[in-house]
Amino acid sequence: MNPEKDFSPLAPSVVRALNDKLYEKRKVAALEIEKLVREFVAQNNAAQIKHVIQILSQEFALSQHPHSRKGGLIGLAACSIALGKDSGLYLKELIEPVLTCFNDADSRLRYYACEALYNIVKVARGSVLPHFNVLFDGLSKLAADPDPNVKSGSELLDRLLKDIVTESNKFDLVGFIPLLRERIYSNNQYARQFIISWILVLESVPDINLLGYLPEILDGLFQILGDNSKEIRKMCEVALGEFLKEIKKNPSSVKFAEMANILVIHCQASDDLIQLTAMCWMREFIQLAGRVMLPYSSGILTAVLPCLSYDDRKKSIKEVANVCNQSLMKLVIPEDDETDEGKQSLSLQMEPKEESLSQQQVTSSGCLEASSNSSLSSASVFNASSTDQVPVTLNLDGIVQVLDCHLHDTATGMMTRIAVLKWLYHLYIKTPRKMFRHTDSLFPILLRTLSDESDEVILKDLEVLAEIASSPAGQTEDQGPCDGSDMRFSQSELHIPVKASQLSSSGMKGMECSPSTPTMNSYFYKFMINLLKRFSSERKLLETRGAFIIRQLCLLLNAENIFHSMADILLREEDLKFASTMVHTLNTILLTSSELFQLRNQLKDLKTPESRNLFCCLYRSWCHNPVTTVSLCFLTQNYKHAYDLIQKFGDLEVTVDFLTEVDKLVQLIECPIFTYLRLQLLDVKNNPYLIKALYGLLMLLPQSSAFQLLSHRLQCVPNPELLQTTDSTKTTLGFKKATTTNIDYLELLQHFERVQNKHLEVRHQRVGRGEPPDRRVVL
């Protein structure tokens, strides 16, 4: 410092003392400055006051010499004390040089800067609030200072500033929020602690409505919640808890829509505390905001659905996620299916855009992040009064896309898959018209899901498929999947040649619609075709789950329609071996499943034209398997025809598989299903062909346990001599049934012969190609 320079009105002795290395001498100089400034205040000499502050600032506090800087700081504090309540007029000039010293490399000097600013703020009190942002900025840096003394000094200053803000009603929250939003992303633990402490203070002030600006800082709060320090995490938990309490008290003033995507992101966090907290917030948002959250459904489901498959280690998150999922599902109502296109476009213009999966970026940690903040505009703000005026539209495309992705992902857990299928079922119930626009894209994955390892998943999948097949909304007219020119499923369907006469002139039935089955809607027959195709290409599925799937479908849909349509499709099946296997499976289900009790009773008597039509339809397909054809005749009490069929067995190639099926049929005859048949053995006179048919089966069997079983049964038939019959007998039940049912049994027998000849031809072709033949009996 130049000793010849004029520092008046400061005396040379004061200048020397300010530059001294000893604190005591600088303290004496400060007292002299305080005395001098008081005189200027008394004289109302503002010019001299500004001049003194300028000298202390420029020549001392901002000097290159460290002792001079220390002298300048204590001198500025002395000026503030002398000014008293008038210090507010000079705060900018007093504060700025002190804040500059906060960045000094000398920790001792940074401490003196804290001390000086403390004295300045203590005198000015509420007058410092217009300068709050620069003070906060400086303090936030000192909060992370490595020197404990500096940190201790900054904490004293921080507490003083908090007291001033708490007792004042002039705090400029609007001006402060941008700085808070910036500082909240600091990674330093002490800076984070400083930020949270201020948020807690501002939350506690009744006159400060920080809740209105929560969307600005919520993301930062969740990031701080993941801090390594337990203390900071706890502080952040408290802050978030206070905000949530306030939200519950004043939901009408909360900007739910602006925070929805923030929660979606943090609901997918790898940190358990962040994820659980965000999920709890999401639960409250859905319950408090209701349908305001619907535009964000796809994002919410992206976050919530994977949590449903968590194990007990994350039980709390799983439980909250389940509540979120259920609450969100309840928001979808039938009215969502009735919105016309005009209202939709208007609604979408007025409400926040939903970020579809394609508009979101997936981070390496698996979190979904918004690609932009455009959807968090002021148009997103909803309150209790505005929700009645602004219609909320369900964006079904985004939801279906998320559900579809989870079904396609092989890593998706069982409970998540079940939840996805429940959502699809719910959407088909509540919004069938809109959902059927997505059916063509969903149909393949729903069929593939039938191969799932979980029975519960398969049950839910069947419920969805059954709803698709039976919903009136799926009945297409001039367009859609039943259009003959539309072959989207051509690669996944069985090839079924259709005669031109079978196509409806109105165009309502296309190539995928049954010519003879009373289908439930346009998708029913398509479902049956693709289900059989699935069984054909995946034989293990047919073996392990085939009966289970068909039985459940018979509960969910019309059993007669299912059997009628499958028989119709199998009649045209080109893979005869599969047709035989499938017919055997269907026959076993028909004869043994409790679900088909009514259908068996319907076929048992053939009293109605519908039952006779069903019998003929089943018979033609059942001909793929000779033994099942006989069992169908036993079920329908067509004993004479059963006998005629057994007579034809002599012309067939008898294989081990064939005899195994005869063995199983004998076992079935002993089951409760055929109680009526066994009782009819008592009426020998009216059931001669039943007894002859059973004897025919007996003659087919080798000496085995089944042979012994049937032989013992036939030995119980009374009066064996009455078995003799003549062609002239006209009064037997067999003849009566033949004459009263108007069924051409001769034509059916000829059809049986044609089908079996095809099977024989195919078996010979297989042997010719070197494929393994069917297992034969060695006689």
Side-chain angles (χ1 to χ4, degrees):
M1 181 175 291
N2 187 355
E4 298 179 358
K5 193 169 184 180
D6 182 17
F7 292 102
S8 59
L10 297 181
S13 59
V14 172
V15 172
R16 284 194 300 273
L18 286 175
N19 287 311
D20 201 284
K21 65 180 181 179
L22 294 175
Y23 173 76
E24 290 78 9
K25 290 188 177 181
R26 294 197 300 272
K27 179 71 172 176
V28 171
L31 292 172
E32 290 296 322
I33 291 171
E34 182 182 343
K35 182 180 177 182
L36 178 64
V37 172
R38 285 184 189 276
E39 291 175 0
F40 290 147
V41 171
Q43 298 165 7
N44 199 21
N45 193 342
Q48 284 290 49
I49 295 172
K50 283 187 177 181
H51 187 51
V52 170
I53 294 173
Q54 185 179 12
I55 291 171
L56 291 171
S57 173
Q58 299 299 322
E59 302 299 333
F60 290 89
L62 300 179
S63 169
Q64 297 297 317
H65 196 278
H67 296 311
S68 298
R69 294 200 293 275
K70 293 172 185 176
L73 289 170
I74 198 170
L76 289 169
C79 286
S80 177
I81 293 169
L83 286 167
K85 63 180 181 179
D86 292 334
S87 64
L89 301 171
Y90 308 94
L91 276 177
K92 186 175 186 294
E93 293 81 2
L94 288 168
I95 290 173
E96 285 185 354
V98 178
L99 288 174
T100 302
C101 292
F102 277 11
N103 299 317
D104 201 286
D106 186 351
S107 62
R108 193 69 187 162
L109 202 141
R110 295 197 301 275
Y111 174 78
Y112 284 131
C114 275
E115 186 180 49
L117 190 56
Y118 180 88
N119 288 319
I120 293 169
V121 172
K122 187 176 182 180
V123 172
R125 301 298 291 184
S127 299
V128 301
L129 289 179
H131 308 278
F132 178 81
N133 277 14
V134 292
L135 295 173
F136 183 89
D137 183 49
L139 277 174
S140 67
K141 295 172 182 175
L142 288 188
D145 198 287
D147 187 273
N149 291 323
V150 176
K151 196 180 297 180
S152 176
S154 70
E155 287 172 359
L156 284 172
L157 176 57
D158 181 52
R159 282 198 291 271
L160 174 61
L161 200 56
K162 285 172 180 171
D163 289 341
I164 294 170
V165 169
T166 303
E167 69 190 22
S168 173
N169 58 359
K170 297 179 180 178
F171 181 71
D172 182 13
L173 184 62
V174 176
F176 173 59
I177 288 298
L179 179 62
L180 179 61
R181 185 177 59 225
E182 177 193 340
R183 287 284 183 263
I184 204 169
Y185 287 105
S186 171
N187 291 322
N188 183 279
Q189 285 189 351
Y190 297 107
R192 284 180 162 184
Q193 194 169 15
F194 172 77
I195 291 290
I196 293 296
S197 70
W198 267 101
I199 289 174
L200 286 168
V201 167
L202 295 175
E203 271 188 290
S204 67
V205 180
D207 294 335
I208 297 177
N209 180 25
L210 192 57
L211 184 62
Y213 298 92
L214 184 56
E216 305 283 341
I217 60 173
L218 186 61
D219 179 58
L221 281 171
F222 273 106
Q223 294 205 23
I224 293 176
L225 191 60
D227 196 274
N228 293 327
S229 165
K230 289 183 179 179
E231 184 182 354
I232 293 174
R233 287 165 78 102
K234 187 64 181 176
M235 285 178 67
C236 194
E237 265 192 282
V238 171
L240 285 167
E242 290 299 318
F243 274 123
L244 197 55
K245 286 180 186 176
E246 192 68 23
I247 287 171
K248 292 178 182 179
K249 288 180 184 176
N250 304 290
S252 61
S253 60
V254 179
K255 301 172 182 176
F256 290 106
E258 291 191 23
M259 294 183 278
N261 282 329
I262 296 172
L263 294 183
V264 166
I265 292 168
H266 293 290
C267 280
Q268 300 169 86
S270 56
D271 184 284
D272 287 355
L273 179 59
I274 294 176
Q275 189 177 27
L276 177 59
T277 307
M279 199 67 74
C280 288
W281 275 61
M282 185 67 79
R283 176 191 62 197
E284 299 300 330
F285 270 40
I286 295 171
Q287 292 176 354
L288 292 170
R291 286 175 58 81
V292 170
M293 299 297 288
L294 269 186
Y296 303 93
S297 296
S298 62
I300 295 170
L301 288 174
T302 300
V304 166
L305 288 173
C307 302
L308 302 178
S309 293
Y310 282 174
D311 55 25
D312 287 342
R313 288 174 295 179
K314 294 186 176 184
K315 185 179 179 181
S316 298
I317 299 173
K318 179 180 178 179
E319 289 174 350
V320 180
N322 189 52
V323 175
C324 288
N325 183 54
Q326 296 296 327
S327 300
L328 187 65
M329 193 179 291
K330 290 176 183 176
L331 297 180
V332 182
I333 55 177
E335 285 74 15
D336 289 318
D337 204 34
E338 297 170 5
T339 308
D340 59 72
E341 299 300 324
K343 288 182 181 177
Q344 274 191 33
S345 60
L346 176 63
S347 173
L348 290 172
Q349 288 170 11
M350 297 178 70
E351 67 179 53
K353 297 178 182 177
E354 173 167 14
E355 294 190 44
S356 66
L357 208 61
S358 60
Q359 291 174 304
Q360 294 166 330
Q361 298 172 342
V362 181
T363 65
S364 58
S365 64
C367 293
L368 224 82
E369 292 190 339
S371 58
S372 70
N373 291 326
S374 60
S375 64
L376 299 180
S377 63
S378 59
S380 306
V381 181
F382 285 87
N383 55 48
S385 59
S386 66
T387 50
D388 295 332
Q389 301 168 2
V390 182
V392 177
T393 302
L394 178 72
N395 186 350
L396 207 59
D397 293 355
I399 294 175
V400 171
Q401 188 177 9
V402 171
L403 299 175
D404 187 56
C405 285
H406 277 90
L407 277 184
H408 275 90
D409 187 357
T410 54
T412 301
M414 181 189 75
M415 296 308 296
T416 299
R417 297 173 79 81
I418 291 170
V420 167
L421 292 166
K422 284 182 177 178
W423 259 101
L424 288 172
Y425 181 77
H426 183 72
L427 291 173
Y428 271 109
I429 294 292
K430 297 293 183 182
T431 59
R433 187 177 63 85
K434 290 182 180 178
M435 274 303 292
F436 269 95
R437 300 172 188 169
H438 301 278
T439 299
D440 286 351
S441 62
L442 288 170
F443 206 67
I445 186 61
L446 289 172
L447 283 168
R448 285 200 293 275
T449 304
L450 292 174
S451 302
D452 197 277
E453 296 177 356
S454 164
D455 284 352
E456 197 173 348
V457 171
I458 294 174
L459 279 172
K460 293 300 174 187
D461 190 36
L462 288 172
E463 285 183 17
V464 178
L465 286 166
E467 183 59 31
I468 291 173
S470 61
S471 174
Q475 187 63 56
T476 55
E477 300 254 349
D478 297 327
Q479 45 83 37
C482 268
D483 184 359
S485 62
D486 187 345
M487 297 301 293
R488 318 173 190 187
F489 285 82
S490 59
Q491 295 182 354
S492 61
E493 291 172 352
L494 293 173
H495 174 67
I496 299 179
V498 180
K499 297 177 182 178
S501 60
Q502 293 173 337
L503 295 176
S504 170
S505 59
S506 65
M508 289 181 66
K509 275 192 176 182
M511 295 184 70
E512 297 167 349
C513 298
S514 167
S516 57
T517 306
T519 56
M520 306 190 77
N521 70 19
S522 304
Y523 281 92
F524 175 81
Y525 203 66
K526 172 183 285 187
F527 176 29
M528 295 297 107
I529 291 172
N530 283 277
L531 180 59
L532 289 175
K533 176 62 179 176
R534 192 88 188 151
F535 286 149
S536 177
S537 61
E538 199 173 335
R539 297 298 171 88
K540 187 178 178 182
L541 175 65
L542 176 59
E543 293 169 8
T544 58
R545 297 283 178 76
F548 171 71
I549 289 171
I550 294 170
R551 287 174 61 185
Q552 291 303 318
L553 283 176
C554 288
L555 289 173
L556 294 166
L557 297 170
N558 182 288
E560 180 182 348
N561 284 355
I562 290 171
F563 272 78
H564 203 307
S565 59
M566 284 191 170
D568 201 24
I569 296 165
L570 289 170
L571 186 60
R572 300 164 176 80
E573 172 57 41
E574 296 175 351
D575 184 347
L576 299 184
K577 191 171 184 180
F578 166 70
S580 177
T581 303
M582 193 67 223
V583 162
H584 175 74
T585 301
L586 289 171
N587 187 66
T588 303
I589 296 168
L590 177 63
L591 293 179
T592 61
S593 298
S594 59
E595 295 87 350
L596 295 172
F597 175 76
Q598 289 184 344
L599 188 61
R600 282 196 297 273
N601 279 349
Q602 186 179 341
L603 288 167
K604 181 179 173 182
D605 298 322
L606 299 180
K607 291 179 179 178
T608 64
E610 290 78 16
S611 62
R612 293 192 288 272
N613 180 40
L614 177 61
F615 165 72
C616 291
C617 181
L618 294 180
Y619 181 96
R620 293 179 186 280
S621 286
W622 263 227
C623 287
H624 283 296
N625 189 306
V627 180
T628 61
T629 313
V630 171
S631 66
L632 180 63
C633 290
F634 281 161
L635 175 65
T636 56
Q637 303 182 68
N638 283 299
Y639 301 136
K640 183 181 185 306
H641 193 72
Y643 171 71
D644 292 339
L645 285 172
I646 293 171
Q647 289 291 94
K648 296 289 183 182
F649 284 5
D651 300 329
L652 304 179
E653 281 190 312
V654 179
T655 64
V656 172
D657 289 336
F658 175 87
L659 291 178
T660 300
E661 289 191 32
V662 175
D663 189 298
K664 289 179 180 178
L665 177 57
V666 171
Q667 305 291 338
L668 267 177
I669 290 171
E670 294 298 318
C671 290
I673 295 293
F674 283 114
T675 299
Y676 68 91
L677 180 147
R678 298 195 300 275
L679 288 173
Q680 286 172 352
L681 291 174
L682 297 174
D683 187 1
V684 177
K685 184 177 180 181
N686 286 321
N687 295 289
Y689 287 107
L690 168 59
I691 298 170
K692 295 182 79 170
L694 292 176
Y695 269 107
L697 291 178
L698 189 67
M699 296 303 108
L700 287 170
L701 286 168
Q703 298 285 331
S704 62
S705 59
F707 177 90
Q708 297 297 329
L709 186 65
L710 185 55
S711 176
H712 290 157
R713 173 63 65 185
L714 289 171
Q715 287 172 15
C716 298
V717 175
N719 302 320
E721 66 275 6
L722 296 178
L723 288 175
Q724 298 177 1
T725 186
T726 62
D727 291 339
S728 61
T729 304
K730 297 291 184 180
T731 59
T732 65
L733 183 62
F735 280 105
K736 284 182 179 178
K737 179 175 281 292
T739 57
T740 58
T741 57
N742 298 321
I743 295 174
D744 187 350
Y745 287 98
L746 179 59
E747 192 275 331
L748 290 179
L749 195 61
Q750 291 170 350
H751 175 79
F752 174 82
E753 291 176 339
R754 289 194 298 271
V755 171
Q756 286 305 307
N757 286 334
K758 285 184 181 178
H759 277 267
L760 181 62
E761 183 182 342
V762 169
R763 280 199 293 271
H764 289 167
Q765 289 174 355
R766 252 196 336 262
V767 173
R769 291 194 298 267
E771 296 178 17
D774 293 341
R775 293 182 298 161
R776 297 181 180 278
V777 178
V778 180
L779 299 176

